[in-house]
Amino acid sequence: MNRDPSAHDAVDPRRRSRLLGSDVLRLGTTGLRARPARAVLSALGIAIGIAAMIAVVGISTSSQAKLAAELDTLGTNLLRVEAGKTMTGEPTELPASSIDRVGRIPGVEQVAGAATLPDRSVYRSRLIDPNRSSGLDVRAASPELLDVLDASIVDGDWLNAATATYPTVVLGSTAAERLGVTEAGTLVWLDGRLFTVVGVLAPVGLAPEIDTAALIGEAVAAEFFGYEGRPTTVYERSADEDVDAVRSLLPGTVSPEAPNEVEVSRPSDALAAKNAADQAFTGLLLGLGSVALLVGGIGVANTMVISVLERKREIGLRRALGATRGHIRAQFLTEALLLSALGGAAGAALGAVVTAAFATMNGWPVSLPLGVVGGGIGATLVIGAIAGLYPAIRASLTPPTSALSG
């Protein structure tokens, strides 16, 4: 008399066989332990797919970090505020409180100012013809200017709280070259007074006008030249994502009475290039990562389907001895997850090593977000579960008599 194969599962729940978690884990490793060579090759296929994904992501993010660093040197987040003109074309001046006002804008991280002192010149000595100014100007600089402009000193030091109150000067790179000054400690003739050179700047790419300037402290400028604290240029830095918002607030903040008389520089074209690069890299990473994960999932599915076909007798025997369909599904699903976990972990480690080696050889900063590694392993487990689900269901639906006769 023929019986429905599924009737084996319809026994009294109190008499149905049970599997503990340790039993599921042991059964899940049975196929891996019985066929270690196949398990290694299958895991290797998954590992290569995950390693390719992580390496591509890591190399791309490292390249992106290098590009971002280079674009940052172009002042992607630097804005400058200058006095404009009235409706009748008359020049205006920035308020003396401009720097403080800008510093209170939400999103502003750094702010500094510089003021051109009109009709002031600097010479190598008092013996130089006053008409030969060499195109150099004198500017009063706030202490934060060096950091805001990301400038560097090639010799000497920047103006500090002490030196800024004495007749000392820091020369821009071009100014030092035209004056024949190569080191700190040299004396120069600045508008009828001897000033000691305390520092020489390297070229300032973000503000070329500083290269041809002699920079003095605000206190000295006020004492000797009547400086009233009105900057001619205010330099401001904020995060890239805040640049547009800060720029819209600058005119009204600096001059609430006449915001139209304040000129604010447009963000550098490098910022647009940086944003475009970020979007391009994001799309590239998503596409390549998806392909690599798909390849890994196909490998898991292929391995598990073949495993089910080769182990039909084992499945039939276990079903005949009382294993339920749920037991069979759990066994093969666990096996797929273990295979994916092994391949994912190995692939993540291999991808990280390849990323570090490639970035180091090219002189790039190594940038591999931990979320990418964790996400790669997690995605591998999810794909492994999905890929192993069909073979597990197929194995559980195999009738015992058919499996044993096969």
Side-chain angles (χ1 to χ4, degrees):
M1 178 178 178
N2 293 331
R3 297 179 59 193
D4 183 0
S6 63
H8 181 74
D9 292 338
V11 297
D12 187 346
R14 292 172 297 178
R15 300 178 57 190
R16 182 176 296 179
S17 60
R18 300 177 183 275
L19 277 180
L20 300 177
S22 58
D23 295 329
V24 174
L25 184 61
R26 179 177 53 81
L27 288 172
T29 59
T30 298
L32 304 182
R33 289 184 281 109
R35 300 171 178 82
R38 169 166 291 181
V40 170
L41 291 176
S42 300
L44 181 61
I46 300 171
I48 291 175
I50 299 303
M53 182 201 75
I54 291 180
V56 167
V57 172
I59 292 172
S60 298
T61 53
S62 297
S63 176
Q64 184 179 9
K66 174 66 173 177
L67 175 61
E70 292 179 348
L71 290 176
D72 284 341
T73 63
L74 301 179
T76 58
N77 61 350
L78 178 70
L79 296 177
R80 65 176 66 201
V81 181
E82 297 176 320
K85 296 182 179 180
T86 64
M87 297 294 293
T88 59
E90 297 295 327
T92 62
E93 292 183 324
L94 296 178
S97 59
S98 297
I99 295 177
D100 292 335
R101 293 181 182 182
V102 172
R104 290 194 291 268
I105 297 177
V108 171
E109 297 178 348
Q110 294 176 299
V111 60
T116 301
L117 304 179
D119 303 324
R120 309 295 177 181
S121 301
V122 58
Y123 304 92
R124 182 64 180 85
S125 75
R126 69 181 70 190
L127 302 178
I128 302 298
D129 184 354
N131 295 319
R132 300 179 59 186
S133 63
S134 300
L136 307 179
D137 56 18
V138 179
R139 298 181 182 231
S142 60
E144 301 81 12
L145 185 64
L146 187 73
D147 293 331
V148 174
L149 295 181
D150 197 23
S152 59
I153 298 285
V154 295
D155 190 71
D157 295 295
W158 176 246
L159 298 170
N160 54 44
T163 58
T165 60
Y166 290 94
T168 57
V169 61
V170 173
L171 298 178
S173 60
T174 303
E177 180 182 353
R178 292 178 183 176
L179 293 174
V181 176
T182 58
E183 60 183 4
T186 306
L187 295 176
V188 294
W189 188 251
L190 196 154
D191 200 57
R193 295 177 183 272
L194 284 174
F195 275 67
T196 302
V197 177
V198 294
V200 177
L201 291 174
V204 183
L206 301 182
E209 66 274 12
I210 300 298
D211 293 340
T212 58
L215 304 168
I216 63 176
E218 294 175 319
V220 171
E223 180 182 356
F224 295 157
F225 308 124
Y227 174 57
E228 298 179 350
R230 293 177 177 269
T232 52
T233 306
V234 176
Y235 302 93
E236 174 276 329
R237 277 186 181 273
S238 54
D240 287 345
E241 59 271 17
D242 296 329
V243 168
D244 290 335
V246 171
R247 183 173 184 269
S248 66
L249 296 174
L250 282 172
T253 301
V254 173
S255 180
E257 306 84 5
N260 59 304
E261 297 178 2
V262 177
E263 294 184 356
V264 181
S265 66
R266 295 182 58 188
S268 169
D269 290 338
L271 179 57
K274 184 176 181 180
N275 293 334
D278 288 342
Q279 295 176 2
F281 274 114
T282 299
L284 174 65
L285 301 182
L286 289 176
L288 294 176
S290 300
V291 171
L293 289 176
L294 179 62
V295 171
I298 293 175
V300 173
N302 181 61
T303 299
M304 296 309 300
V305 168
I306 295 176
S307 180
V308 168
L309 294 176
E310 290 184 343
R311 296 163 64 186
K312 291 184 64 176
R313 287 183 178 275
E314 174 192 337
I315 296 169
L317 181 60
R318 290 199 61 228
R319 295 278 282 123
L321 292 176
T324 65
R325 292 177 177 175
H327 297 165
I328 301 299
R329 286 195 296 268
Q331 174 186 348
F332 281 89
L333 192 57
T334 302
E335 187 173 323
L337 288 173
L338 290 174
L339 196 61
S340 299
L342 292 174
L350 180 60
V353 171
V354 171
T355 298
F358 191 89
T360 302
M361 286 189 300
N362 287 276
W364 299 347
V366 179
S367 177
L368 181 60
L370 294 178
V372 172
V373 178
I377 297 177
T380 305
L381 293 176
V382 172
I383 291 180
I386 296 174
L389 187 60
Y390 168 72
I393 294 176
R394 178 173 178 173
S396 67
L397 295 178
T398 304
T401 53
S402 175
L404 290 172
S405 63

